[in-house]
CSV table of all heavy atoms in Angstrom, one decimal:
chain,number,residue,atom,x,y,z
A,109,GLY,N,-6.6,-4.7,-2.9
A,109,GLY,CA,-5.4,-5.3,-2.5
A,109,GLY,C,-5.4,-5.5,-0.9
A,109,GLY,O,-6.5,-5.3,-0.4
A,110,PRO,N,-4.4,-5.8,-0.4
A,110,PRO,CA,-4.3,-6.1,1.1
A,110,PRO,C,-4.2,-4.8,2.0
A,110,PRO,O,-4.5,-4.9,3.2
A,110,PRO,CB,-3.2,-7.0,1.3
A,110,PRO,CG,-2.2,-6.4,0.3
A,110,PRO,CD,-3.0,-6.0,-1.0
A,111,GLY,N,-3.9,-3.7,1.4
A,111,GLY,CA,-3.5,-2.5,2.2
A,111,GLY,C,-4.6,-2.0,3.2
A,111,GLY,O,-4.4,-1.7,4.4
A,112,LEU,N,-5.8,-1.7,2.6
A,112,LEU,CA,-6.8,-1.1,3.5
A,112,LEU,C,-7.3,-2.0,4.5
A,112,LEU,O,-7.6,-1.7,5.7
A,112,LEU,CB,-8.0,-0.7,2.6
A,112,LEU,CG,-9.1,0.1,3.3
A,112,LEU,CD1,-8.6,1.3,4.1
A,112,LEU,CD2,-10.1,0.7,2.2
A,113,VAL,N,-7.5,-3.4,4.2
A,113,VAL,CA,-7.9,-4.4,5.2
A,113,VAL,C,-6.9,-4.4,6.3
A,113,VAL,O,-7.2,-4.5,7.4
A,113,VAL,CB,-8.1,-5.7,4.5
A,113,VAL,CG1,-8.4,-6.8,5.6
A,113,VAL,CG2,-9.2,-5.7,3.5
A,114,PHE,N,-5.6,-4.4,5.9
A,114,PHE,CA,-4.5,-4.5,6.9
A,114,PHE,C,-4.6,-3.2,7.8
A,114,PHE,O,-4.5,-3.4,9.0
A,114,PHE,CB,-3.2,-4.4,6.1
A,114,PHE,CG,-2.0,-4.0,7.0
A,114,PHE,CD1,-1.3,-5.0,7.7
A,114,PHE,CD2,-1.5,-2.6,7.0
A,114,PHE,CE1,-0.2,-4.5,8.6
A,114,PHE,CE2,-0.5,-2.3,7.8
A,114,PHE,CZ,0.2,-3.2,8.7
A,115,ALA,N,-4.8,-2.1,7.3
A,115,ALA,CA,-4.8,-0.8,8.1
A,115,ALA,C,-5.9,-0.9,9.1
A,115,ALA,O,-5.8,-0.5,10.2
A,115,ALA,CB,-4.9,0.4,7.2
A,116,LYS,N,-7.2,-1.2,8.6
A,116,LYS,CA,-8.3,-1.3,9.5
A,116,LYS,C,-8.1,-2.3,10.6
A,116,LYS,O,-8.6,-2.2,11.7
A,116,LYS,CB,-9.6,-1.6,8.7
A,116,LYS,CG,-9.9,-0.4,7.8
A,116,LYS,CD,-11.1,-0.8,6.9
A,116,LYS,CE,-12.4,-1.0,7.7
A,116,LYS,NZ,-13.5,-1.2,6.8
A,117,SER,N,-7.5,-3.5,10.3
A,117,SER,CA,-7.3,-4.5,11.3
A,117,SER,C,-6.3,-4.1,12.3
A,117,SER,O,-6.5,-4.3,13.5
A,117,SER,CB,-6.7,-5.8,10.5
A,117,SER,OG,-6.6,-6.9,11.5
A,118,VAL,N,-5.2,-3.3,11.8
A,118,VAL,CA,-4.2,-2.8,12.8
A,118,VAL,C,-4.9,-1.7,13.7
A,118,VAL,O,-4.7,-1.7,14.9
A,118,VAL,CB,-3.1,-2.2,12.1
A,118,VAL,CG1,-2.1,-1.4,13.0
A,118,VAL,CG2,-2.2,-3.3,11.5
A,119,LEU,N,-5.7,-0.9,13.1
A,119,LEU,CA,-6.3,0.2,13.8
A,119,LEU,C,-7.2,-0.3,14.9
A,119,LEU,O,-7.2,0.2,16.0
A,119,LEU,CB,-7.2,1.0,12.8
A,119,LEU,CG,-7.7,2.3,13.3
A,119,LEU,CD1,-6.6,3.4,13.4
A,119,LEU,CD2,-8.8,2.9,12.2
A,120,GLN,N,-7.9,-1.4,14.7
A,120,GLN,CA,-8.8,-2.0,15.8
A,120,GLN,C,-8.0,-2.4,17.0
A,120,GLN,O,-8.5,-2.3,18.1
A,120,GLN,CB,-9.4,-3.2,15.2
A,120,GLN,CG,-10.5,-2.9,14.2
A,120,GLN,CD,-11.2,-4.2,13.6
A,120,GLN,OE1,-10.7,-5.3,14.0
A,120,GLN,NE2,-12.3,-4.0,13.0
Side-chain angles (χ1 to χ4, degrees):
L112 186 49
V113 175
F114 163 84
K116 291 174 66 176
S117 184
V118 169
L119 194 66
Q120 290 178 351

